Amino acid sequence: MTNNLNLASRPFTNRLFPWLLTVIVLFISLIGLLIVVHFTLQANRQSEDIRVDINNLRNQEKGLLEEAKKVQEGMTREQLQALEAAHQLVDRKGFSWSRLLADLEAALPGNVRVSRIAVRDVAMQGDQTVADLELTVFAKSANVITAMIADMDRAGIFQADLRAQNLQKGRGESGTEYDLAVIYRPRAGYASENVAAVQESERTKEESK
């Protein structure tokens, strides 16, 4: 004898399962909401702390600038000139002649000779030393000088502008001297073999004295 179960007239029901599932979903949603609220509040607190620190630093900077201005206003003209000279002296101490000569040797073509070089000013722009130079070079062709200036600009260490040129004759050769205004920016952390060679030569000269 076969027993037939009519599910339509006697459906299976479990009233506890839907409620349990609903409670689990609500619990997970509540935990997620609490986590989101926690991190949001934490981010807001950190943002507020950073804002307070920035305002404090700005107030300190403003106070220091005002104090420096008062000190500067109380200084005589001679004291201001001495202060400027002291700054220039500090800047010049950070200037390396051996590095300049090595960079020049690498930048100048073989058929260009340096006749005179002078440093007019040395200053610091951020962490970089910038020197204002007067450079006089001798060459037989103006095209060589034009190409040299273009190569200097591309390299980025020297920025040269032609100021004057003077025809030179005698000493067994003829050519032209070119006066250049040069801005020199040595690369940070740059040390070539030429620099080391020049420094070694300077040490040898000092030891021989």
Side-chain angles (χ1 to χ4, degrees):
M1 183 175 180
T2 303
N3 294 324
N4 294 325
L5 181 62
N6 187 353
L7 297 179
S9 60
R10 301 180 60 185
F12 173 79
T13 58
N14 188 344
R15 297 180 179 180
L16 180 63
F17 180 74
W19 287 105
L20 181 61
L21 181 61
T22 302
V23 170
I24 292 174
V25 171
L26 290 175
F27 178 76
I28 294 175
S29 300
L30 180 61
I31 295 297
L33 179 61
L34 292 176
I35 292 174
V36 171
V37 171
H38 170 73
F39 283 110
T40 301
L41 293 176
Q42 186 177 15
N44 290 336
R45 285 194 298 268
Q46 292 177 350
S47 177
E48 181 64 20
D49 292 341
I50 293 174
R51 188 184 64 81
V52 172
D53 292 339
I54 291 175
N55 289 334
N56 291 335
L57 291 175
R58 286 177 177 173
N59 292 332
Q60 291 177 6
E61 180 185 13
K62 184 178 179 180
L64 291 174
L65 290 175
E66 291 177 351
E67 291 180 5
K69 185 177 180 180
K70 291 179 181 178
V71 171
Q72 189 173 3
E73 290 175 350
M75 296 176 67
T76 64
R77 183 176 180 180
E78 291 76 12
Q79 290 174 330
L80 290 174
Q81 291 176 347
L83 180 62
E84 183 179 358
H87 285 311
Q88 292 179 353
L89 181 61
V90 172
D91 291 338
R92 286 182 179 273
K93 283 186 176 181
F95 180 77
S96 172
W97 272 98
S98 59
R99 183 168 181 173
L100 169 61
L101 296 176
D103 287 336
L104 270 178
E105 183 180 355
L108 296 181
N111 51 357
V112 175
R113 185 176 70 248
V114 176
S115 302
R116 186 181 68 89
I117 182 171
V119 178
R120 293 194 301 178
D121 189 23
V122 179
M124 295 296 297
Q125 293 182 359
D127 296 332
Q128 186 180 33
T129 302
V130 179
D132 190 4
L133 312 177
E134 291 180 353
L135 180 65
T136 301
V137 296
F138 177 85
K140 295 183 178 181
S141 172
N143 294 332
V144 174
I145 299 300
T146 302
M148 180 193 74
I149 292 176
D151 291 339
M152 282 181 168
D153 290 341
R154 280 193 294 269
I157 299 178
F158 297 97
Q159 182 181 351
D161 291 322
L162 179 62
R163 295 297 175 87
Q165 58 187 61
N166 303 299
L167 182 63
Q168 298 290 321
K169 293 183 180 180
R171 294 177 294 178
E173 59 180 344
S174 61
T176 305
E177 277 191 341
Y178 299 88
D179 294 331
L180 305 174
V182 180
I183 297 176
Y184 172 53
R185 295 183 177 89
R187 292 174 181 169
Y190 171 77
S192 64
E193 295 180 357
N194 291 332
V195 175
V198 174
Q199 292 175 343
E200 181 64 26
S201 176
E202 290 180 351
R203 284 195 295 268
T204 303
K205 291 179 181 179
E206 291 178 356
E207 292 174 357
S208 62
K209 290 181 181 180

